[in-house]
Every structure is written in structure tokens, then in C-alpha cells.
Amino acid sequence: MKFENLNENYLKRIFKDEPEWFVSDRLKSLKLFNQAKEDSFRYGSTMKTDVSDIKISDYESKINLVLKNNDSRIIIKDFKKALTEDDELIRKFFMKEIKTRMELLHKAIVQEGLLIYIPKNVKVKEDITIDYEFLTNSFDYLLVIAEENSELNIIERLRSKEIFRSNVVEIYAGRNSKVNFYSIQDMDNNCINFSVKRSFAGKDSECNFYNFDFGSKLNYSDTYSELVEEGSCSKIKGIYFGNEKQHFNLASSTHHKSRNTNSDIFTRGILDDNSNIIYRGLVKIYENAENSNGYQKEDALILSENAKADSIPNLEINNHDVKCSHSSSISHLDKDKLFYLMSRGIDYKECTKIMTEGFLMEVLNKIDKEEIKEEIKQLIKSKIK
Amino acid sequence: MILKTKNLNVSTKDNLDILHNINLNVNEGEVVVIMGPNGSGKSTLANILMGNPNYKIDSGEIIYNNEKINELSPDERARKGIFLSFQYPAEISGVTISNFLRTALSSIKGEKISIISFKKLLRKKMQMLKIDEKFADRYLNEGFSGGEKKKTEILQMFVLEPKLCILDETDSGLDVDSLKIVGEGVNKLKDGKRSFLIITHYNRILDYIKPNRVYVMKKGKVVKEGSSKLAFELEKKGYEDIE
Ligand SMILES: Nc1ncnc2c1ncn2[C@@H]1O[C@H](COP(=O)(O)OP(=O)(O)O)[C@@H](O)[C@H]1O
Ligand SMILES: [Mg+2]
């Protein structure tokens, strides 16, 4: 991965209107980025996400963003504005943990972004929807702070031209709050997309991610869910569909840091043509997290001869008073089932669609929202040739 | 003549010969029965008639309505009116009976069918077969008992109204009551034009349906042909004496 024209002067010039503390943070991050070793994107001896061809020289982002929110109690602000008006919040929550060199870069040149703040006891009935259309390379950020007893659903839809995108989403779920985050990524098949989503769940809160990955030639998505306080829970449900030469690198992890915490990871995906995936799952139980449950399940269905799936499920358990399980499977279209369906007068192509949709149904059924379910079904259908 | 096979030789994809010189006739409106011990090739015959790509025709012909259909895909055969009630129906997760059958019927009729009118039709057929209406929204055969699967096969046959119904051991796995429902159901479908090819090795279903002709298969060959009397003789004596 090559990032050209990136230096202090450039940053100082394009971020000249920002508060000094933040620009100084950017510069620090850039320095660390320049010192850090390249992320390897290697797993074991054979699995690898190839980033060698990536060369970026444009950093100024332009997004067509359409936001829908009908609840005046919610505060939604442009990230730039929040930097001056809510600098305490930003200082407290913005990218406190950095794991990869990509994230260092993100912190240095993050531009477009939103802060969504839900005050105490506010239960939002209507979904907040954010439709992004990326017109240029993008380094975008979303911070969600849900205060005590609040509830909301956020749906983001991602569409784009052929661009490079780096994204970070951070969700802080306060005590007894409930946040559902739906992400429908249907970007152009020539995009490069790096997305890191993190949630931090407070006491008795619930924070769920629903990831739908369809687009990009390289789609890296890391969903990290931390059960910080007692009684919290989280679900990560995912559906992906790769075709052409798409490469997906998807990671889902839950981190139980307190007692009585529950997590459930469930991903199903389809691979067609020459597409391939590296899927990494992790349930980690910390020493003091007794009486916790963590599940993960990952299934891939392969439609073509040249598609490929690699799955790396992991459990790290440091407390014995817990229940954990993991399973993963990779299967091909069952010829006998196909024959059975075709024998009822339905042609091959339609039968493939029926079986593919059927395979994904178990995850689709976990979505309470009918309209999203339909939207995803349509996207699945449009991807099957 | 609705169906005719001429010197049909069939093997598996891995070149294991299974059927040898099969000649059989099913005329319009007839009920023809194939009997024979386990492993004699009955299911293979049913599958090759339906176009299962696990098997290949090495020589010979399948003629259906005066057309050679050797090369037709399973869905093309179904659209021409052939139906197979499977001995071991597949379980299809995530696909409801109702949605699936509506797609199948639309495809066979070549026209879209509204959800409402299809639901009405399906309900009617389910009542005829005494199948609980809740099954309409269950996934096709998933977690069904053997008997439930067989009844669901017959339900599909009722909905799709094929011209040639091939029943592969639909009677095994059915309890007495279900057998009666299925047997009487098949009789209802008999309209003088529709033909049936019924494979059985118990001939229990013959308590309800009178065949026009009986073929006996053994080791991949048709070894005997006779009238309905043959079925009852076999019931008493077994297959040992037949060569
Ligand atoms: N796909 C296959 N691969 C290998 N052997 C097969 C296959 N299908 C059928 N056979 C063999 O062919 C013979 C006939 O099987 P089948 O047609 O199922 O008999 P029946 O239905 O009369 O019990 C059996 O010996 C069976 O093992
Ligand atoms: Mg059989």
C-alpha cells in the first residue's frame, strides 16, 4: 500500500480551520503512521489480503450525504462542527484505541463525519438513515453516543464511484440502552473499502451490528464488539455476497470484559465467479467475565469452481464459568437439491436463486425490519447472474 | 402413447451400468406399475425419466408424446408435464412450500400467479390431502417425517397437475390413513388422460389403484410384464422365482 503526497505541510494546509489540539493529534498520528510497519494482512501461512497494488494520492473527500431523522431530541452534527462545539466528547471518545497502521492514517486524515447523540431516556421510534454516495476517496467517521435508557436504530447505505474509502464507526451504548446498527454496503465493484466498526456496551445495554457486504473489489471489514460492563450483550449478524474478482476480508469479534455478558456472531455468505473471502471470528472471554455466553457461526456457500472461502474461527477463554461455541462450514450448491427443485419446472438460474436465498434465510430471519429484509433480498437477487 | 422407452441403457456418471435394455409403454390415461426388489433399478429409471444429471443414457430413447426427450433438462421435462414424486425428497432450507410451489406453477403455466389466488388454490389442495395449513409456510421438507415428505410430494403433484405422474415408492413411509388419502387422491387425479407410472415394492397402494399393466424389474432389467393379477401373485410369492 502506497500513500503519496502525505506530509505535515499538506495536513496543516487542508486542516487549517480546525482546533489546534485536533490538528496536533493528526500530526502525531501521521508521525506514528510513518514509523509503523505496514499491516501484513497475512493469516497463517497461506491466507493473505493483497494490498500491494493500492496507491493513493488524493485525500480530499467529497460525499453526497442524505440524512433522515425525524426526532428533534436527537443531536446530529457534522464532525467538523462537533470538533469545536463538543470538543469534550470528541476528546473522550474519538478513536481511543488504535490497532492497525490503517487506523493511524485514518486518524491523521479523517474528514467527513457525523456525531449522533441520543440523550438520556430518549427512545427513538423512527430509524435514522444515512445514505452515503462517495464521489471521491473518503476517510469518514461516525460517532454514536447513546446515553442511559436510550434506544435507536441506525441504517447506513453506502454507494459509490470507483474510489478508495477508509471508515471508522464507534458506538458507545450507555447503561440500559439499545442500539442497532445496520450497514448496507453496495459500493461499486472496483472500490477499495476499509471499514472498522466498534461498539462499547455499558451495563445491561445491547448493541447489535447487522452487516451486509456486497460491493468493492477489496472489502476489509472489522467489526469489534466490546462488552465492557456487566449484563451487556451484543449480536453481530452478517450477510455477504461476492462475485467477479471480489476479495473480502471480514472479521467479527466479541470481547467479554465483565460478568453476565452475552454475545452471538452469525455470518452467512455467497461466493460466485472468482471471488474469495478470509473470514475471521473471535469470541474472547476475559478472566473476570464469569457466567457469560459467546457463540459464533460462519457458513459460506460457493456457487462457482473458482470461488474460495477461508474461515478462521477462534475462541479465547480465560474463565471457566462460561458457555461458548463456534462452528463454521463451507459448502457447494447441492446437485441433488438442485435436481429436485428443477424437476418442478424451474430453470437452473432461478433454482440457484431460490437455494441461495434459502441459504441466507436463517440470517435474514434475524432481521426484524421487513423493509430491510426485502432490500437485502433484492440485492442478493441482483447479484446472481 | 404418452411414454415409451426403447432399449434404454443407463449408467451412472462414473460409468457403473445400472439399467439394461428397458422397454416400457405407458399409454394415455393408463396406470402402469413397476415392481421389483430393492436395488433392482426402479429409482434409477424414475430419475433418468426425469433427467437427473447423475445418470446418463448410453443408448436407447425416451419418447414422450412422440418426442425424443433424452437431452431435455429436468425443468423442461417438468414444463412438458412430467412429474416425479421422489422416493427420498430433498430438504430445502429457507424455502417455504408456498413460495416454492407458486414459482413452480408460474413457471409451468408460463404466467404469473398472484399470491392471493395461489394461497387459495394451495389451501384447497391441502384440505383435500388433509395437510395442516401451517405447512404452507414451512421450509420445503425440512425436518419433515418420512410420511410428511411423501404427502408433500403428492401435494406438489396436485398443485402442478402434470400429465405423467411418476410415483417412486410414495406408499412406503405412509401410515394407513395417509396411504388411503394418497391412494384416493391419485384416483381423483385420474381423468382418462393423465397417466401414472407407479413404482412400489409393497404394492400397498394397489389396494386403491387398479393398474392396467405391471412390469417387474430385477437387476436392472425388466424381467416380466403382466396384468394387475401379476402384482397380487408377487405379493404372495415374492420375487425369488422370477428370472
Ligand atoms: N448414483 C449411483 N452411484 C452408484 N450406484 C448407484 C447409483 N444409483 C443407483 N446405484 C445402484 O444401482 C442399483 C439400483 O438402485 P436403485 O435404482 O436405487 O434401485 P431401487 O430403486 O430399485 O431400489 C443399486 O445397486 C444401487 O446401489
Ligand atoms: Mg428406489
Side-chain angles (χ1 to χ4, degrees):
Chain A
M1 235 186 304
K2 260 214 186 96
F3 295 95
E4 294 174 335
N5 309 331
L6 203 57
N7 54 50
E8 273 199 25
N9 289 337
Y10 175 77
L11 258 59
K12 276 184 189 154
R13 197 180 75 239
I14 64 171
F15 300 120
K16 62 180 184 305
D17 300 328
E18 290 179 357
E20 221 169 281
W21 66 270
F22 195 74
V23 175
S24 132
D25 267 8
R26 287 185 184 277
L27 295 176
K28 255 185 252 164
S29 200
L30 180 67
K31 207 167 172 184
L32 291 171
F33 168 78
N34 284 326
Q35 290 161 359
K37 238 177 60 193
E38 275 226 38
D39 298 320
S40 82
F41 299 107
R42 274 177 185 284
Y43 316 94
S45 53
T46 54
M47 286 166 257
K48 183 182 172 208
T49 291
D50 186 3
V51 295
S52 59
D53 281 350
I54 301 175
K55 201 168 90 183
I56 309 299
S57 48
D58 281 323
Y59 302 93
E60 276 159 89
S61 51
K62 209 161 140 201
I63 304 177
N64 217 336
L65 191 148
V66 180
L67 179 84
K68 201 189 104 224
N69 164 43
N70 292 323
D71 197 315
S72 57
R73 297 169 300 175
I74 307 174
I75 298 161
I76 302 187
K77 255 186 212 173
D78 187 70
F79 183 64
K80 294 254 155 96
K81 204 168 161 205
L83 276 181
T84 44
E85 293 180 5
D86 308 271
D87 65 326
E88 264 171 56
L89 279 182
I90 305 294
R91 275 181 213 256
K92 191 169 162 198
F93 293 113
F94 174 66
M95 292 190 78
K96 299 319 278 182
E97 284 182 47
I98 300 249
K99 296 201 174 61
T100 63
R101 185 166 178 262
M102 263 309 286
E103 290 171 39
L104 286 168
L105 176 71
H106 193 90
K107 194 169 178 177
I109 52 176
V110 59
Q111 290 163 56
E112 307 285 328
L114 289 175
L115 162 68
I116 301 181
Y117 181 86
I118 308 94
K120 200 168 155 178
N121 297 328
V122 170
K123 293 185 177 14
V124 184
K125 294 238 163 53
E126 265 186 75
D127 308 330
I128 296 177
T129 64
I130 314 168
D131 292 349
Y132 295 85
E133 190 192 354
F134 303 103
L135 304 170
T136 61
N137 290 347
S138 174
F139 297 82
D140 50 283
Y141 178 70
L142 175 65
L143 175 60
V144 179
I145 298 168
E147 295 286 12
E148 198 175 325
N149 278 324
S150 66
E151 270 183 39
L152 92 156
N153 299 317
I154 300 174
I155 301 164
E156 66 165 19
R157 290 188 184 81
L158 312 162
R159 288 182 305 124
S160 73
K161 299 235 159 64
E162 180 183 338
I163 53 120
F164 174 92
R165 177 197 184 220
S166 170
N167 156 258
V168 173
V169 174
E170 293 181 296
I171 302 175
Y172 289 85
R175 189 188 181 113
N176 210 29
S177 66
K178 184 169 177 184
V179 181
N180 287 314
F181 189 82
Y182 299 82
S183 176
I184 306 172
Q185 191 270 92
D186 186 28
M187 293 163 66
D188 184 279
N189 255 15
N190 292 308
C191 285
I192 295 166
N193 183 40
F194 283 84
S195 175
V196 176
K197 299 186 184 74
R198 291 198 191 110
S199 70
F200 302 89
K203 190 164 187 305
D204 298 322
S205 70
E206 178 174 345
C207 192
N208 304 321
F209 286 106
Y210 298 86
N211 294 332
F212 306 103
D213 287 282
F214 294 98
S216 298
K217 70 176 171 195
L218 193 172
N219 181 43
Y220 173 96
S221 170
D222 182 354
T223 306
Y224 169 104
S225 173
E226 190 170 311
L227 301 162
V228 186
E229 289 180 334
E230 211 181 315
S232 58
C233 67
S234 106
K235 289 180 221 153
I236 303 173
K237 307 282 179 193
I239 284 179
Y240 62 84
F241 197 134
N243 65 3
E244 296 174 356
K245 286 184 176 165
Q246 286 185 285
H247 170 78
F248 288 178
N249 180 336
L250 306 185
S252 303
S253 61
T254 52
H255 305 257
H256 296 248
K257 294 197 168 173
S258 284
R259 60 206 296 260
N260 303 334
T261 49
N262 288 290
S263 74
D264 185 7
I265 299 173
F266 186 21
T267 303
R268 274 198 176 174
I270 310 290
L271 295 164
D272 201 356
D273 303 332
N274 294 294
S275 64
N276 62 83
I277 185 170
I278 300 171
Y279 179 89
R280 295 171 291 138
L282 169 68
V283 174
K284 184 168 178 177
I285 309 256
Y286 285 70
E287 258 168 65
N288 56 336
E290 68 259 20
N291 193 31
S292 292
N293 302 306
Y295 303 104
Q296 59 170 313
K297 187 165 153 58
E298 198 270 324
D299 304 308
L301 176 66
I302 294 179
L303 301 183
S304 69
E305 258 168 52
N306 297 321
K308 188 166 173 285
D310 282 308
S311 178
I312 319 168
N314 245 317
L315 290 177
E316 264 182 59
I317 302 178
N318 299 304
N319 181 309
H320 292 291
D321 179 24
V322 297
K323 274 196 207 118
C324 285
S325 75
H326 67 79
S327 75
S328 84
S329 76
I330 295 166
S331 58
H332 293 259
L333 267 193
D334 185 311
K335 295 253 161 54
D336 293 329
K337 290 183 182 177
L338 208 52
F339 168 59
Y340 181 68
L341 296 183
M342 286 176 74
S343 81
R344 301 310 186 223
I346 306 169
D347 65 24
Y348 177 84
K349 188 176 151 183
E350 189 62 27
C351 287
T352 311
K353 282 189 190 182
I354 289 173
M355 282 181 66
T356 304
E357 199 183 298
F359 175 77
L360 298 175
M361 200 49 91
E362 211 178 310
V363 186
L364 282 170
N365 283 339
K366 302 280 194 285
I367 307 169
D368 297 330
K369 302 191 164 300
E370 279 310 311
E371 68 281 8
I372 293 199
K373 219 157 135 176
E374 273 316 305
E375 189 175 340
I376 302 304
K377 277 189 196 171
Q378 287 313 316
L379 282 170
I380 294 165
K381 284 211 176 92
S382 71
K383 270 223 134 177
I384 304 178
K385 281 181 294 284
Chain B
M1 189 78 62
I2 186 160
L3 177 80
K4 186 181 183 68
T5 67
K6 283 191 197 158
N7 297 321
L8 198 62
N9 285 281
V10 173
S11 59
T12 64
K13 272 184 309 195
D14 324 318
N15 297 317
L16 187 72
D17 292 337
I18 300 187
L19 300 181
H20 310 279
N21 278 316
I22 304 289
N23 290 294
L24 57 108
N25 293 317
V26 181
N27 295 314
E28 193 174 80
E30 274 189 339
V31 176
V32 171
V33 164
I34 298 178
M35 301 180 78
N38 266 330
S40 56
K42 305 182 298 295
S43 290
T44 304
L45 177 61
N47 274 276
I48 201 74
L49 292 175
M50 196 71 240
N52 187 337
N54 283 334
Y55 301 99
K56 58 184 171 53
I57 297 175
D58 297 321
S59 63
E61 289 180 357
I62 304 172
I63 311 286
Y64 173 76
N65 278 337
N66 302 318
E67 182 193 0
K68 183 174 159 189
I69 60 164
N70 287 29
E71 307 299 330
L72 293 191
S73 63
D75 55 306
E76 288 170 317
R77 294 182 200 205
R79 288 198 293 274
K80 286 186 184 292
I82 304 179
F83 178 91
L84 170 60
S85 166
F86 284 65
Q87 183 175 8
Y88 303 109
E91 301 195 8
I92 314 290
S93 182
V95 179
T96 63
I97 290 183
S98 173
N99 280 339
F100 172 65
L101 268 184
R102 188 164 65 93
T103 310
L105 186 62
S106 307
S107 156
I108 283 176
K109 285 201 158 168
E111 62 188 45
K112 275 217 151 58
I113 298 158
S114 78
I115 297 184
I116 298 169
S117 60
F118 180 74
K119 288 218 156 131
K120 226 163 107 186
L121 172 95
L122 183 62
R123 199 175 306 131
K124 202 176 99 198
K125 308 279 175 178
M126 290 177 99
Q127 278 163 1
M128 284 168 76
L129 290 168
K130 300 207 168 59
I131 296 175
D132 188 339
E133 277 178 35
K134 288 198 200 87
F135 270 69
D137 295 318
R138 286 191 56 180
Y139 294 152
L140 186 54
N141 296 324
E142 194 182 53
F144 287 19
S145 72
E148 286 166 348
K149 281 181 189 167
K150 295 296 174 70
K151 275 176 94 171
T152 304
E153 294 292 286
I154 297 304
L155 173 66
Q156 296 180 49
M157 189 169 89
F158 267 51
V159 170
L160 301 179
E161 298 184 320
K163 294 195 189 76
L164 171 63
C165 308
I166 306 169
L167 275 60
D168 189 0
E169 301 212 17
T170 303
D171 51 351
S172 33
L174 284 179
D175 56 43
V176 182
D177 293 339
S178 305
L179 184 68
K180 183 161 184 256
I181 294 165
V182 168
E184 288 171 351
V186 166
N187 273 327
K188 264 185 220 149
L189 281 186
K190 273 171 64 181
D191 62 358
K193 294 195 95 180
R194 186 170 285 124
S195 309
F196 294 84
L197 183 61
I198 297 178
I199 295 169
T200 174
H201 78 255
Y202 297 116
N203 82 33
R204 301 196 314 172
I205 202 163
L206 303 184
D207 294 344
Y208 300 93
I209 307 160
K210 282 273 145 306
N212 298 84
R213 194 163 41 262
V214 175
Y215 293 97
V216 181
M217 283 183 74
K218 237 178 152 178
K219 296 180 181 154
K221 291 185 186 138
V222 173
V223 292
K224 198 158 184 158
E225 186 185 330
S227 67
S228 63
K229 260 189 274 168
L230 178 59
F232 294 98
E233 279 168 33
L234 286 169
E235 166 110 84
K236 280 191 223 119
K237 296 187 199 150
Y239 298 104
E240 274 72 43
D241 302 336
I242 299 176
E243 275 313 319

